[in-house]
Amino acid sequence: PSILDKIPAETERVRLMKLEAGTKLSKHTDKVDKDIKVGKIIRLHVPIRTNDKVEFSVWDKRDKITFLMVEGKYYYTDVTKPHSVENNSKIDRIHLVVDCYCNAILRGLVL
């Protein structure tokens, strides 16, 4: 099965996103439509190519939490909350980014 077939939900938008080697996205929130703000649609990241020097950070109130995303795993990201990415590696980071219509099965897996 394909990467998308493993997601137990209908997709709304699917795209590949690249973060070039040695670049970063400063702390920000994504511009989102009302369906993401109310939880009707959720955003998943699936790293296709990454490196252990690519750091993804999210802010929980004032606390910054930094972690590494592993290739082939699925990650829920609440893009309405502040987050940043630093690609401190020598390769471009590639993620499959999938906006999905949230349902009970998907909600149980990620929320």
Side-chain angles (χ1 to χ4, degrees):
S2 76
I3 292 169
L4 296 177
D5 290 338
K6 293 180 181 180
I7 299 172
E10 182 182 344
T11 59
E12 190 267 340
R13 186 166 78 149
V14 178
R15 64 249 182 236
L16 288 171
M17 298 184 79
K18 176 174 80 169
L19 182 63
E20 293 182 359
T23 63
K24 65 180 169 180
L25 296 173
S26 298
K27 183 179 177 182
H28 68 283
T29 59
D30 292 358
K31 290 183 179 179
V32 293
D33 63 29
K34 65 179 176 61
D35 288 339
I36 288 181
K37 287 181 181 175
V38 299
K40 181 178 177 184
I41 293 175
I42 64 171
R43 183 162 294 162
L44 301 177
H45 276 248
V46 183
I48 303 298
R49 183 174 66 197
T50 192
N51 185 285
D52 62 2
K53 293 182 179 170
V54 178
E55 296 179 345
F56 187 88
S57 299
V58 294
W59 278 260
D60 180 23
K61 297 185 176 147
R62 292 188 184 149
D63 296 326
K64 179 181 177 182
I65 302 162
T66 300
F67 60 97
L68 306 176
M69 292 186 178
V70 178
E71 288 177 10
K73 300 235 182 224
Y74 296 71
Y75 295 88
Y76 164 68
T77 53
D78 183 350
V79 295
T80 66
K81 304 270 194 279
H83 57 281
S84 67
V85 186
E86 290 189 34
N87 185 350
N88 299 307
S89 75
K90 296 183 189 284
I91 64 165
D92 294 344
R93 180 203 80 164
I94 308 288
H95 276 197
L96 182 68
V97 180
V98 185
D99 290 352
C100 307
Y101 289 100
C102 197
N103 59 38
I105 295 169
L106 189 57
R107 187 174 288 109
L109 291 172
V110 300
L111 300 179

